[in-house]
């Protein structure tokens, strides 16, 4: 536990410096410096101010979690999202552990849909060309019993692939936004460590 | 009081203080922690979040002595949010109050 302003600010700086951009760290530190300045002017000792601020560690964890959740909200990427989840887990929010499994299952599902859609989009045109060649009478490509059915099938499968990819995109977006809101809610309502 | 309970209400406390006038950080922290038992350090992350969410803005203003202070002011969005949260809170406390009153075993 820190008992002077210097110790407190140093502890915060050390913990934040590793994770956040320097301008943001400086902005956060200036708030706490101002707090100490005003508190001293108010006649409170540095030790007392440190005590009522609470552990620098807890403050830093909360700042880091907030930063990463905001970042993931602004710039969508799987990497930002996983950083946000990890930083929020760092607050000791054990309820998040229970949603971790559904999140991973969902991510795998979205990836599988993406791959299947992609495969259809690649396979469709190939099947289409093969069917055309067969229709043109090239015996070597006699893949289909009925080349016309082959053409219909390949057009169908290409369209299905496109639909899957587009649908998957919207689905991923939807769950991403939902996830960010859930993380924000966690940070807002629940605090890692109890006072005292 | 339950810590999660307090933290959910903190946002309303900050917003409602700012409805009356712009405040600097220490002022907000001091007034709130005087009435609600919570570590003062956690109010600053909240202030950053509310700013990030566009509910309030900040500006620096010279004070009589020392460096300028950072003041917090509500945005229109912040005022709207304050009204929403205030209504929710009042409805909630009235409902709970009625339930408590209705309890025949209550000792007064």
């Amino acid at each position: 536990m820190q008992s002077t302003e210097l110790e407190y600010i140093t502890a915060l700086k050390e913990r934040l410096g590793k994770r956040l951009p320097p301008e943001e760290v400086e902005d956060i530190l200036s708030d706490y410096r101002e707090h100490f300045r005003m508190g001293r002017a108010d006649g409170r000792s540095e030790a007392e101010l440190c005590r009522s601020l609470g552990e620098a560690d807890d403050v830093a964890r909360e700042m880091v979690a907030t930063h990463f959740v905001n970042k993931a909200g602004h710039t969508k990427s799987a990497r930002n999202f996983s950083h946000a989840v990890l930083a929020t887990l760092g607050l000791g929010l054990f309820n998040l552990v229970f949603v971790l499994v559904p999140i991973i299952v969902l991510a795998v599902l979205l990836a599988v849909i993406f791959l299947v859609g992609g495969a259809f989009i690649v396979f469709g045109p190939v099947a289409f060309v093969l069917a055309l060649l067969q229709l043109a009478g090239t015996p070597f490509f006699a893949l289909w019993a009925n080349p016309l059915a082959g053409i219909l099938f390949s057009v169908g499968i290409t369209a299905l692939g496109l639909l899957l990819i587009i649908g998957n995109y919207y689905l991923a977006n939807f769950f991403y936004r939902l996830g960010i809101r859930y993380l924000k809610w966690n940070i807002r309502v629940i605090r890692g460590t109890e006072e005292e | 009081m339950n810590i999660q309970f307090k933290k959910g209400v903190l946002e309303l406390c900050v917003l409602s203080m700012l409805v009356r006038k712009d405040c600097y950080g220490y002022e907000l922290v001091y007034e709130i922690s005087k009435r609600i038992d919570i570590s003062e350090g956690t109010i600053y992350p909240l202030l950053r979040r509310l700013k990030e969410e566009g509910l309030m803005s900040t500006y620096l203003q010279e004070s009589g002595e020392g460096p300028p202070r950072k003041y917090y002011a509500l945005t229109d969005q912040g005022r709207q949010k304050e009204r929403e949260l205030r209504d929710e809170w009042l409805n909630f406390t009235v409902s709970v109050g009625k339930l408590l009153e209705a309890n025949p075993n209550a000792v007064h």
Side-chain angles (χ1 to χ4, degrees), chain A residues 85-151:
Chain A
V85 171
L86 288 178
T88 313
L89 274 175
L91 291 176
L93 304 177
F94 295 111
N95 58 320
L96 266 181
V97 173
F98 297 107
V99 296
L100 216 52
V101 174
I103 285 178
I104 292 168
V105 169
L106 201 63
V108 169
L109 195 70
L110 291 172
V112 167
I113 295 177
F114 181 81
L115 287 177
V116 169
F120 281 4
I121 288 175
V122 173
F123 173 73
V126 172
F128 184 76
V129 171
L130 289 179
L132 273 187
L133 287 173
Q134 191 181 347
L135 209 58
T138 324
F140 181 69
F141 293 105
L143 181 68
W144 306 94
N146 180 350
L148 279 177
I151 285 181

Side-chain angles (χ1 to χ4, degrees), chain A residues 62-85:
Chain A
E62 194 161 349
M63 289 289 190
V64 168
T66 303
H67 169 83
F68 280 107
V69 172
N70 282 334
K71 190 173 167 197
H74 290 313
T75 318
K76 286 179 192 164
S77 79
R79 190 161 168 265
N80 283 349
F81 190 79
S82 54
H83 278 168
V85 171

Side-chain angles (χ1 to χ4, degrees), chain A residues 35 52-53 62 74 187-188, chain B residues 3 7 11 40-41 44 52:
Chain A
H35 184 85
S52 53
L53 275 177
E62 194 161 349
H74 290 313
I187 296 181
R188 182 174 303 134
Chain B
I3 189 95
K7 203 170 177 204
E11 186 174 331
E40 299 182 347
Y44 288 103
E52 170 73 29

Side-chain angles (χ1 to χ4, degrees), chain A residues 22 34 65 157:
Chain A
E34 185 179 307
I157 208 113

